[in-house]
Amino acid sequence: EREGSTQPNSDGVPDGSFVRLTMRRDGFSSIGSVSSKWTKPGTFTTSPLVFEGTRLLLNAQASNGGEVRAGIEVLGGRQPDATNFGLDRSVALQGDQHSHEMAWMTANGSSTDIAMLSGHVVRLHFVLRSAQIFSFRFDYPPAASVAERHPP
């Protein structure tokens, strides 16, 4: 016991000191790829999920020119047209993003609205190049009304 000692403990911190550590939200674990942008990317696919919301948010980090892309596959009976939500239409996430809203572009270059997928069972496909995903979630815009959150 070294009560009151100013000698560093095994962690190199003097006894009686306060140490503050910070960790990114949802940063306890991640799935990632160490491949560079020029080599084979890492991929993963989720189990079927119910899409509840109007947007897909990612907590991810891409470094060394890396990126994350996402595709949405609609499963089940009556399906909305999900051709605009493929990996090839995904706008790449780059850098360190805590609540990045994923986006997709149509063939004519306009952005697509994924709100039409709300309530449907989907599977997400991710492609990562020098990147990690810490978490993803379906969400509504911060100012969404109750009617938008729970459509009839």
Side-chain angles (χ1 to χ4, degrees), residues 101-123:
E101 183 174 347
M102 293 302 294
W104 291 263
M105 303 300 274
T106 63
N108 66 8
S110 62
S111 64
T112 59
D113 183 6
I114 64 172
M116 66 188 279
L117 303 179
S118 190
H120 290 276
V121 177
V122 300
R123 185 175 287 144

Side-chain angles (χ1 to χ4, degrees), residues 4-47:
S5 171
T6 58
Q7 297 298 316
N9 62 22
S10 62
D11 294 329
V13 178
D15 287 342
S17 298
F18 287 97
V19 177
R20 179 178 178 216
L21 303 174
T22 58
M23 182 179 293
R24 70 184 300 133
R25 181 180 177 189
D26 300 326
F28 292 108
S29 64
S30 67
I31 188 165
S33 167
V34 294
S35 68
S36 74
K37 192 169 184 157
W38 312 113
T39 60
K40 187 175 180 180
T43 63
F44 80 94
T45 301
T46 68
S47 298

Side-chain angles (χ1 to χ4, degrees), residues 60-139:
Q61 181 179 40
S63 57
N64 300 323
E67 64 183 27
V68 176
R69 292 185 184 267
I72 302 175
E73 173 188 3
V74 181
L75 307 173
R78 296 185 68 206
Q79 302 174 3
D81 181 13
T83 56
N84 287 327
F85 305 109
L87 288 165
D88 59 331
R89 304 287 175 110
S90 176
V91 177
L93 175 154
Q94 297 176 323
D96 189 359
Q97 307 285 331
H98 295 273
S99 289
H100 178 80
E101 183 174 347
M102 293 302 294
W104 291 263
M105 303 300 274
T106 63
N108 66 8
S110 62
S111 64
T112 59
D113 183 6
I114 64 172
M116 66 188 279
L117 303 179
S118 190
H120 290 276
V121 177
V122 300
R123 185 175 287 144
L124 303 177
H125 302 278
F126 292 98
V127 173
L128 300 90
R129 289 181 173 87
S130 292
Q132 300 176 80
I133 295 178
F134 296 95
S135 67
F136 64 87
R137 70 182 187 275
F138 304 123
D139 201 1

Side-chain angles (χ1 to χ4, degrees), residues 48-65:
L49 306 164
V50 176
F51 187 107
E52 291 291 341
T54 58
R55 57 193 189 147
L56 172 62
L57 299 178
L58 290 186
N59 178 355
Q61 181 179 40
S63 57
N64 300 323

